[in-house]
Amino acid sequence: MDGTSIGWLALPLAILGGAIRVSTPFIFVSIGELITEKSGRINLGLEGTLMLGAMAGYAISYLSGSPWLGVLSAGLAGMAFGLLHGLLCSVKRVNDTAIGISLIVLGTGLAFFLGKPLIEPKAPPLPSIALGFWSSVPRMRAALDVNALFFVGIALAFVVYVFLNRTGWGLMLRTVGDSEDAARALGFPVLRVRIVATMAGGILAGIGGSFLSLSYPGSWSEGLSSGQGIMAVALVIFARWRSINALGASLLFGGAGALGPALQGIGVTGYYYLFNAAPYILTLAIMVASTSRAAPFADAPGELKLHR
Amino acid sequence: MTLKPVDRRSVLQMLAAAGSAPFVLKSTVARAETPLTVGVLYSGSKQDYGFNQSHAQAAAALKKLPGIKVIEEERVPETIAAQRSMEGMIRQDGAQLILATSFGYFKPHVLEMAAKYPDVTFAHTGGVWTAGMPENIGTLYAYIFEAQYISGIVAGHMTKSKKLGLVAAKPTPNLLRSINALAIGARSVDPAIEVQVIFTGDWVLPVREAEATNTLVDQGADVIAAQVDSPKVVIETAEKRGVMSCGYHSSQADVAPNGYLTGAEWNWITPYLVYAGSVRGGKKPEHYLRSGLGDHFVKNSPFGKLVTPEARAAAETARADLIGGTRVIYSGPLKDNKGNVVIPAGVMQSSNDRALDGINYLVEGIIGQV
C-alpha cells in the first residue's frame, strides 16, 4: 500500500469509520426515545434536548476543563427537559406530540441564547481511544479512533434490552406502555413511570448532544444538529421498539451518512445529492419492506398514540 | 381577534407620523452634525467563523469611526421578518443606511423597503441592481476568488502529496469561480496538482463537512480548503487529522494553530465606507459596486507559521500582478475537467468580466462534478 491512495478499499473503510463516528448520537437519542415510547409516550422534543445537551456539555467542558463533567451536565440538562415534558403531558388532555414540538423550539432557542458566547472559545474535547494503533495506514488509524461514548452506547443497547425483558422494573415500564388499565389494575404508578421514562430519554438525548459538541464534529455551533433528534424517532419505529435493533439502525444510518462524501472522495462525482440522501432513502426502503400491511404497528407499545 | 392587526397597524402609523417629522428635518438641515445611524442585518450568528462574522467585523470597524452609530440584528430570517427588522431600524433608531448582508434579503424585502423609504440608503450584499429598481439601493460584492487564487498558490507550494481537498457547499457560480481560481492558482505552481472537491449539498452541515474532510484526508489530500458558510468544522477537523488548511470568509487561524496556511477573507469595511460616504454626501448610492484585491474588498489571512518563504514570495508576487493587471486568473487556453476548451487561447476574462457571472464548469485538474 503506497499510503496515498487505496482506491476502492477506501469506500468500506469510510463507511466503517463513518458508522463509528456518526452513529453515536443516533444510538443515544434513539435508545432514549425507545425507553420513553415503551412507557406509552412519544417525545418529539429530543431535537431540542439534543441541542441543549450539546450546548450545556460544551459550556461545562469549557468552564470546568473536564469534558466528562460536560457529558454529565448535558445529561442533567436533558433530564430537566425530560421532566418538563413528562410533567406537562401528565396534565389531562395534553397532547404529547404537541408538547414535544414546542420543546424542540424551546430547546433550540434556549441553546442558541445561552450558547451565544460559546461559539468562539475552544472547550476540551472528549478523548478518544486509538484502536488503530496496530496499523501503519493513517486512514485506518483515523477510522478506528473511537470515542469511549460509542462503546457506552453499545453497552447501553444491551443493558436496556436486559432491563426491559429481564427485570421487574422493565416489566412495569412495558406494562404501563402497553395497557394503562392493566398497569392500574396491577397497582403500578402509571404517571410516575412515564415521567421517569421520559427523563431517562432526556438524559440520553442530552448525552447524545454532548457527543456532537465534544467529540464529532466537535465544536459548538448553531447549525450543529441537522435533525438527529427527529431522525431518532424514525429509527425507533424502524427498530420495531427493540434496543438492539436501534443500535443496528443507528450504525447503518451512520455508515450510510458517510456514503455521500466517501463516494465523492474516491472520484464518483455525480449524483451526490442522491448519495447524500442515502440514509433517508435506506430508512424509508427498509421501513416499507419490513412493515406488515395487516398489522403495521404490531410491535408498538399499545398506549403509544402513533396509530390512533 | 380580527381587531388585533388593525390596532397594531394604526399604532405603527402613529409611530411613523411621530417619527418622520424629526427625520425629515434631520435629512435636510442637520445632516453633518447628527451621527449617521447604520443598521446591519445578519442571517446567522455574528460569531460563526464565517460569512456573518466577516460582516460583523466590518460593522465593528464601522462602529469605531467617529459620528457613526451602528445597530445590529442577528439571525434575521430571509422572510417578512427582514422587513420588520429594517423597518424597526429606520423608524425607531433613525437608521439612514441599511446593510442587508444576506442574499435572500434582496427580493422582495430590500426592494419593498427601499420603495417605502426613499430617504434611506440600502446596501445589499450579492444582489444585482437593475434599471427600474428604487434609486436608493446599492448592491455590493467582492471578488473573493482572487483571494482564493492566492490561497491556491500558497497551497500549491506547501502540498507534498500534490493533492488538495476542498469541501464546498453547493455548485453555485460564485463557488465554482472560487474553486476554479484555487485550482488555477495551485496548478500554476505545479501542473501535476489535483484538487478534489466534495459538495456537501447545503450551506451548514457540520457532521457532513467533518465527514467530507476526513474522506479527503483519507484520499491523501494534505491541504484542505473550505467553501462552506461556517468553515470552522472543516478547519478544525483538518487540524485534528494533522493536515494543512486554507480558510474562507474570515480567519480560522485560531482553531488550527499548526496547519492554517492562509485563507480568503472578505474585507467588507471598504464597500461599507463607500456607502456611508454617499449617505453623508447626500448622493445616490453606487448601484453595482464590485472589486477585489486591488481595492481591498478582499484579503488573505496572515500566513501561518508553516508557510515557506518561497510560498510567501510567490503569493506576494501574484497579488501584485493581479492588482497591476498583468495577471488574469481566467485566461485562455483554459479547459474544463471534461476536456472542453472553455476559454480559448488569447482570450482573457478579467475579474469584472460579466461572462464569469454564470460560470458552470470546473477547470482541468479538479476531481468533481457540477
Side-chain angles (χ1 to χ4, degrees), chain B residues 76-90:
Chain B
V76 180
E78 295 170 334
T79 61
I80 195 89
Q83 295 192 31
R84 273 190 223 119
S85 170
M86 287 186 253
E87 200 146 28
M89 286 172 173
I90 294 165

Side-chain angles (χ1 to χ4, degrees), chain A residues 50-282:
Chain A
L50 181 92
M51 282 307 274
L52 199 69
M55 189 281 297
Y58 200 74
I60 299 302
S61 169
Y62 171 64
L63 294 173
S64 70
S66 159
W68 291 108
L69 219 53
V71 174
L72 183 72
S73 41
L76 288 176
M79 187 172 82
F81 251 55
L83 178 66
L84 185 64
H85 185 276
L87 288 177
L88 287 173
C89 294
S90 302
V91 180
K92 268 206 165 21
R93 283 190 293 276
V94 165
N95 181 294
D96 50 358
T97 311
I99 294 289
I101 291 169
S102 55
L103 286 188
I104 297 181
V105 180
L106 180 64
T108 39
L110 212 55
F112 286 2
F113 176 69
L114 297 172
K116 188 114 210 50
L118 294 170
I119 297 171
E120 217 147 341
K122 183 107 192 67
L126 279 171
S128 53
I129 308 163
L131 290 179
F133 58 87
W134 48 271
S135 171
S136 60
V137 183
R139 71 217 57 200
M140 183 70 87
R141 298 167 73 125
L144 293 178
D145 217 10
V146 185
N147 194 289
L149 276 184
F150 176 71
F151 297 108
V152 176
I154 292 178
L156 187 72
F158 290 94
V159 168
V160 169
Y161 174 81
V162 172
F163 170 78
L164 286 175
N165 295 297
R166 295 281 184 274
T167 66
W169 285 11
L171 182 66
M172 181 163 75
L173 180 76
R174 283 191 293 141
T175 311
V176 167
D178 270 334
S179 167
E180 198 171 323
D181 294 338
R184 285 197 197 285
L186 288 166
F188 291 155
V190 173
L191 280 185
R192 212 183 309 156
V193 168
R194 287 190 177 154
I195 291 171
V196 170
T198 318
M199 282 164 75
I203 294 174
L204 295 183
I207 292 175
S210 72
F211 177 85
L212 285 175
S213 62
L214 291 174
S215 179
Y216 192 76
S219 66
W220 162 251
S221 72
E222 288 169 1
L224 191 58
S225 159
S226 35
Q228 279 102 332
I230 291 291
M231 272 315 295
V233 178
L235 286 180
V236 173
I237 303 174
F238 173 36
R240 320 302 306 170
W241 293 272
R242 293 184 190 109
S243 62
I244 313 284
N245 289 4
L247 171 68
S250 302
L251 285 169
L252 189 70
F253 205 77
L259 188 66
L263 277 174
Q264 284 191 70
I266 60 166
V268 180
T269 52
Y271 308 108
Y272 42 84
Y273 282 106
L274 190 67
F275 292 129
N276 282 341
Y280 310 97
I281 297 172
L282 196 67

Side-chain angles (χ1 to χ4, degrees), chain B residues 186-197:
Chain B
R187 287 165 60 83
S188 74
V189 178
D190 182 351
I193 291 174
E194 284 185 325
V195 179
Q196 181 145 27
V197 55

Side-chain angles (χ1 to χ4, degrees), chain A residues 1-11 13 137 139, chain B residues 218-219:
Chain A
M1 235 171 262
D2 67 351
T4 53
S5 177
I6 54 171
W8 279 94
L9 245 181
L11 190 62
L13 197 57
V137 183
R139 71 217 57 200
Chain B
D218 287 348
Q219 285 298 310

